Structure formats: structure tokens, C-alpha cells
Amino acid sequence: MVVSAYAEPMVETYSRPRFGAPREPKNLVNPGNRLVRVIDFVTADHVRAVGFLLLCGLLLFLPGFFTIPPIDRDEARFAQATKQMVETGDYVDIRFQDEVRYKKPVGIYWMQAAAVQTASALGLPRAQLRIWVYRVPSLIGAIGAVLLTYWTALAFVTRRGAVLAALIMCSSVLLSVEARLAKTDAMLLLTVVAAMGAMARVYLSWQRGEDPAHPPWSWPIIFWTALAGGILLKGPLILMFIALTVVTLAILDRDASWLWRLRPVWGLMWMLVLVLPWFIAIYWRAGETFFADSVGGDMLSKLAAQESHGAPPGLYLLLFWITFWPGAPLAAMAAPAVWGARREPGAQYLLAWLVPSWIVFELVLTKLPHYVLPLYPAIAILTAGALERRVLSRSAWLMRGSAWWFAIPALASIIAVVAAIKLTRQPVFVAWPFVGGTLIFGLFAWWLYEDNRAERSLLNAFVAAIFLAFALYGAVLPAMTPLFPSAEIARALRNVVCVGPKAAAAGFHEPSLVFMTDTSTVLTDGSRAADFLSQGSCRFALVEQRSERAFVQRAEAIGLRYNVATRIEGYNISQGRGVSIAVFRSEGTE
């Protein structure tokens, strides 16, 4: 897993380690694959490579980016807290309606607020209510993480291998999801890859015995700035990845003197300059409440099964075969060679990044799929290194995993289309050409696989991932309107005649409802919703069917006259059950 001797001068070069015994293909005839020729073209220089990866990121992440409504609950909570920052002009405190939201630091809220303010300044109408504006930092984070995976991989493999590693990361299902959600994880990934890439260059330079008279400042600056960004995004989590990597390398090498090349004294001072102002400001505003909620109430509580997300060890390994598709089959075939090369500096560093943190996540009781996302770039680079050196396993049972390239898009497409027909009674014909494309390219990836031409199969699987993104995110999910009842409710309230409608919700309290209607929307029960409706005109009670009895009884008791404006049938994905929401209006309200 190294840069080859023929790599360009821009790429760091060093002696070739023994990453397994490379095997030359039996048939040296160029397969003439058009996708392979595309890679030949884009890897001719760095500008082409970066432009190509940027285009691939947009193709994979933009379908559905503008059209999928807010997803409950985390995305809607982040977006609503940001919206309140913009409304109040208070960029220190973090709140969801009147409740403090101190689980995470302020970084992502500032980024989302900047996106909203920029969109408003550019003349975008109702920018504060458009969820895609709040997703822009996640899109930037996801594409930035792909480009930084390429940059990091250049320390370990050739430019071609770095492009392949970035494509594996770009097409992973988990990153594709996080790029479309207005929350912290895509941007956190960017900071982790930046920090680990900078630290890798320092470590490998030390391993090669380089002792420059004037060590570069660029790597320490990137490293400590990325750490500051990660802390402002998600607290000390980024420090766990760094610390476990450093400790593991120090144990294996019995030496950690290379850390001085990161200039820790100046670096710590710079990091504190970046992070302390807001922490001081929030401490001045909230006292110890923020630290109690974020460290004790959020981080430490994950050691237990927080919010019903508990699961036994091994869950992430099972989810890996879906969340890292289409790279997962190749990662499995690369594993034996990677293990054989575990004491080589490059493989050792990447495994130190991957293995200790993965074990920690498996042992922690609270498990959510996105927790392991910052470890995926290490897997992508290890896989690309094995692929490039043609040392993928020829074990029959591992090679059978190539069928996964066809199985995942086939299953995902069938499930999505069937679910859309069941929910909407519509066949979503617009998705079918994309479904066909993903099945064809997934089948090619499986059918054409051989270890000497694994790159060809990977590229076909990558194209299948693009078609799958257009089918699922671009066509099917936006068409499944019953999954997003808040959007339908907000649309109904926007069509009323009266000015400044006020609403109270009973039985349906999802954050997306507050985001899409108004910060002042009251979340209450059926009885109090009737009281709310009786307090004036241009008021609406949004009453879920299970709360209607209490609403009707209270309305009769107080002599409330009301009309049913509309009834919205949908499905609450957070609770996994159907909902039927009546929109009641006070008599005389249009």
C-alpha cells in the first residue's frame, strides 16, 4: 500500500513495502473497458482527479437533496434549533422552542445559519423554511470528505489508487445518507479525515527516517485546525479517534517521538484559540448546564442503551455489508492481504485508525449506524491498496461476495418500489429506468469480476450506486408523501386565508412539524388543543386520531364551535405507525 516508483513528483514517494506478493494478470490484453479508460484519463493529473471526484460527489449526493422533506427526528431538531438562532439573532444559546439543546456544541448550527443567511441574502424566498438550505453544510462535508480521502490516500497508494479509495468512500451507502441530512456527521467526517491525513504524513515521514531541518508547518496546522473543528461539531469524539490511533502506534513501535513533529505546544494553543471563545460564552450563559447535558447527559449516557438504540456487539460488522456497499465485497477480499501486511508502516497506521475505535463502538451499548462513519476512509484506503497491488483474496467463499453488487440494488429497488405502491397507490414509473440501470451495472460488476480486473467491477458497481441514488432518493422517496405528514400539514396551513395562523398539535409532536409550521406551534394534548382553539380566530388544532376523543370532550364542555379543514393520513417513521391528523379550525376561520 504505497506510492509506486513511477508516481508523479507531486505525490509523496518512498520505498515499496511488502504489501503481499503482487500477482501479475495472466492475460495482459487491455480489456478495453470504457470505465477503466475514464480512470486512465482522470488520473493523469491532480486537477482532473479532483474535478472528477467533485462531479461524482454531486451525482451521488444531489438526487433528492432538494425534494426530500425534513426527516424526523435528528435532522428536524438540528434545523429547528438553527432556525431559532436566525430568528432571535442569538448565536450562542442552542434551543428547540423553549427547551435547551446542549447535547452537541455549536459548530453545525453556525454552519447551517450561515447557509440560511447566505440564501436569504441571495434572494431565495422563505429560505428559513427550506430544509435543503440547512443540508448544504452536510453536502459540503460529504464532498470534502471524499476529496480528503483522496488526499489522505496519496500518502499510501498511487494517484490511481487514491481515486479508487475516494470512489469507494463516495459511493458508500452510509455517506450517501448523511450527505442528505442536516446534522453533524458528514462534516465531522471531513474533520476526522483531515486530521488523520495530516497525522499520517507526519508518522510516515518519521517512519522513513526523514529528519528535515525545517519540518513543514502545513501538516500541524491542518491537524490542529481539524481537531478544533471536530470539537466544535461534536465535542471530544474526534479526540477519541486520534488518541486511540496514537496509543496503538506507540505500543506497536515502542516510540512516540514523532508526535513532536505535530508541534503540540503551538498546536494546542491554536486549537484553544479556536474553541474556547464559544465554550466560555456558553458557560457564561448556561453555567455548568451545557457540560452536564453534553458530557453527562449525552456522551456518557451512550454507554447505556440511550433512546432505545441498544444492541449487542457485532451489529456494526453486520451493518457494514450494507452501509459500506459497494466497497464491502472488495474490503472482505482485501482483508487477508491487509492482515498479512499489518506491520508495514502504512497498513499499521490505517489499522490503528480503524481497529481500536471499531472495538470501542462495538462494546458501547448505544449503537447507531453513523457512529462508525469516520472509520470508513481507512477501510477504503486499505481496500484500494490491496486492489492496486492485485493481492485480493482468491478464496472461493470470499469471491462469492461479489454477488452482493447485484443483490443490494435488486433488494433495495424491489423494496422501495413495493413500499411506494403500497403507500401511494402509484407505481412511480419515473424510478424504473434508474432501477433498470442499477440492476444492469450491478449485474455487470458481479458477472465480470475476476481478481486481476477487480477495478473494472468496482467501477461498474460505482455506476450502479449512482443509478440507485437517482432511483431511491431522487424518485421514490420524494413520491412517498405519506411518510412526511408534517409537509402536508404545513402546506394546508399555508393555503389558509387568514393572516398569521397559529397552531397547536395534539398526539403528533414530531420536530419536523415545528420546523415546517412555526416555532410558536404548541405541542400539547387533545384537551388543551381545544382550549387553544377557543382563544381566537386564525387558530388551528392539529389533532391525531388517538387524541381526538379528548379534544371533542373538551370542546363540548366549553361550548367550542369548530370545523374540520382537512384530514391528513400518513405514517410516522419515528414511531413506526400510521397517523391520521385532523386539522380543526375555529368557526369563522378560513
Side-chain angles (χ1 to χ4, degrees):
M1 293 183 61
V2 293
V3 176
S4 62
Y6 54 80
E8 289 77 4
M10 282 187 68
V11 182
E12 299 171 11
T13 59
Y14 22 87
S15 59
R16 181 188 299 274
R18 296 167 287 103
F19 191 84
R23 296 191 292 267
E24 294 302 322
K26 296 177 182 178
N27 183 1
L28 298 178
V29 177
N30 191 322
N33 187 292
R34 293 182 180 179
L35 295 175
V36 173
R37 289 204 295 269
V38 170
I39 300 300
D40 292 338
F41 173 78
V42 302
T43 54
D45 60 57
H46 287 291
V47 174
R48 290 183 189 176
V50 170
F52 173 70
L53 293 174
L54 179 61
L55 174 63
C56 290
L58 294 174
L59 286 173
L60 274 160
F61 302 147
L62 283 185
F65 183 85
F66 300 97
T67 54
I68 298 174
I71 305 294
D72 284 309
R73 292 176 171 141
D74 279 354
E75 179 183 47
R77 284 171 176 162
F78 277 103
Q80 175 58 29
T82 300
K83 187 172 79 167
Q84 289 182 217
M85 276 189 172
V86 175
E87 289 172 346
T88 62
D90 185 347
Y91 294 96
V92 174
D93 206 10
I94 307 170
R95 290 181 177 270
F96 180 91
Q97 292 191 310
D98 294 329
E99 296 181 4
V100 295
R101 183 168 168 78
Y102 291 159
K103 290 186 176 183
K104 301 291 185 293
V106 78
I108 196 64
Y109 303 103
W110 282 351
M111 294 178 186
Q112 291 178 357
V116 173
Q117 297 281 31
T118 301
S120 298
L122 293 175
L124 180 69
R126 299 190 301 112
Q128 293 184 24
L129 294 176
R130 298 181 187 272
I131 188 61
W132 67 263
V133 177
Y134 297 80
R135 292 170 176 163
V136 168
S138 293
L139 177 65
I140 295 172
I143 294 177
V146 170
L147 297 178
L148 284 170
T149 298
Y150 167 75
W151 174 73
T152 300
L154 288 173
F156 301 91
V157 295
T158 65
R159 183 185 296 157
R160 189 183 193 91
V163 168
L164 294 176
L167 290 179
I168 291 172
M169 192 64 211
C170 184
S171 56
S172 67
V173 170
L174 186 54
L175 182 57
S176 188
V177 171
E178 292 299 331
R180 294 173 171 85
L181 293 177
K183 53 196 197 73
T184 58
D185 297 283
M187 190 58 72
L188 175 68
L189 174 66
L190 181 150
T191 63
V192 172
V193 182
M196 297 302 289
M199 192 166 73
R201 282 163 166 74
V202 172
Y203 175 75
L204 294 176
S205 173
W206 172 77
Q207 280 282 6
R208 294 192 300 268
E210 297 176 358
D211 190 16
H214 302 286
W217 275 90
S218 56
W219 300 338
I221 290 173
I222 293 172
F223 176 80
W224 292 105
T225 304
L227 250 62
I231 290 171
L232 283 173
L233 285 165
K234 214 163 184 175
L237 183 61
I238 190 173
L239 300 180
M240 183 195 80
F241 299 118
I242 301 298
L244 289 177
T245 303
V246 169
V247 170
T248 302
L249 293 174
I251 293 172
L252 294 175
D253 295 328
R254 298 181 181 179
D255 189 351
S257 59
W258 57 273
L259 287 173
W260 289 106
R261 300 188 181 201
L262 286 170
R263 293 181 167 87
V265 175
W266 289 104
L268 281 169
M269 292 172 61
W270 170 242
M271 185 181 73
L272 291 175
V273 166
L274 295 176
V275 304
L276 276 184
W278 179 77
F279 281 100
I280 292 173
I282 193 64
Y283 181 79
W284 185 268
R285 174 72 61 86
E288 297 178 357
T289 305
F290 170 78
F291 299 98
D293 287 356
S294 61
V295 178
D298 184 55
M299 189 174 68
L300 295 181
S301 65
K302 286 181 170 58
L303 298 176
Q306 187 186 40
E307 297 180 1
S308 303
H309 296 308
L315 177 67
Y316 289 120
L317 185 59
L318 291 175
L319 291 176
F320 172 80
W321 306 107
I322 298 174
T323 58
F324 198 64
W325 184 89
L330 283 182
M333 289 182 256
V338 170
W339 181 249
R342 63 189 179 278
R343 292 314 303 266
E344 294 174 9
Q348 179 173 282
Y349 180 88
L350 292 168
L351 289 171
W353 175 359
L354 168 64
V355 176
S357 294
W358 192 288
I359 292 173
V360 169
F361 284 129
E362 290 285 16
L363 293 178
V364 171
L365 290 180
T366 300
K367 289 182 172 63
L368 289 171
H370 61 264
Y371 286 178
V372 295
L373 180 61
L375 309 180
Y376 280 7
I379 304 175
I381 298 170
L382 286 166
T383 302
L387 185 155
E388 186 177 52
R389 295 280 290 159
R390 296 193 177 96
V391 291
L392 296 174
S393 174
R394 291 180 175 177
S395 168
W397 69 276
L398 284 177
M399 291 177 68
R400 289 191 190 102
S402 61
W404 212 234
W405 282 321
F406 177 73
I408 287 292
L411 291 172
S413 300
I414 292 171
I415 292 172
V417 171
V418 170
I421 293 173
K422 183 177 180 180
L423 280 173
T424 67
R425 302 293 188 267
Q426 298 293 328
V428 198
F429 285 126
V430 69
W432 289 25
F434 299 110
V435 169
T438 193
L439 293 178
I440 290 170
F441 280 95
L443 182 62
F444 281 167
W446 173 28
W447 180 43
L448 297 174
Y449 178 76
E450 52 182 292
D451 65 323
N452 287 323
R453 293 177 181 171
E455 179 183 298
R456 177 181 57 185
S457 287
L458 173 62
L459 295 176
N460 277 278
F462 178 80
V463 176
I466 293 177
F467 275 101
L468 189 62
F470 276 91
L472 295 186
Y473 304 117
V476 174
L477 201 54
M480 299 172 72
T481 53
L483 293 181
F484 310 104
S486 296
E488 297 301 309
I489 294 171
R491 190 174 294 112
L493 293 182
R494 283 198 297 270
N495 291 332
V496 301
V497 176
C498 62
V499 179
K502 297 183 181 299
F508 184 75
H509 294 171
E510 296 303 323
S512 61
L513 179 64
V514 178
F515 173 78
M516 298 206 72
T517 54
D518 191 83
T519 299
S520 64
T521 297
V522 178
L523 304 181
T524 184
D525 55 26
S527 177
R528 291 188 177 89
D531 290 333
F532 174 87
L533 204 61
S534 68
Q535 294 171 7
S537 61
C538 202
R539 287 175 175 254
F540 297 82
L542 319 172
V543 184
E544 208 278 322
Q545 190 172 31
R546 296 169 183 83
S547 300
E548 278 192 42
R549 183 177 179 181
F551 174 85
V552 171
Q553 289 177 343
R554 180 60 179 169
E556 291 178 353
I558 62 176
L560 173 66
R561 293 185 177 183
Y562 59 91
N563 299 313
V564 179
T566 186
R567 180 175 289 275
I568 294 167
E569 306 289 339
Y571 190 83
N572 189 333
I573 57 177
S574 298
Q575 297 182 348
R577 67 183 189 186
V579 292
S580 177
I581 303 166
V583 180
F584 296 117
R585 63 190 179 195
S586 53
E587 191 175 58
T589 300
E590 297 294 334

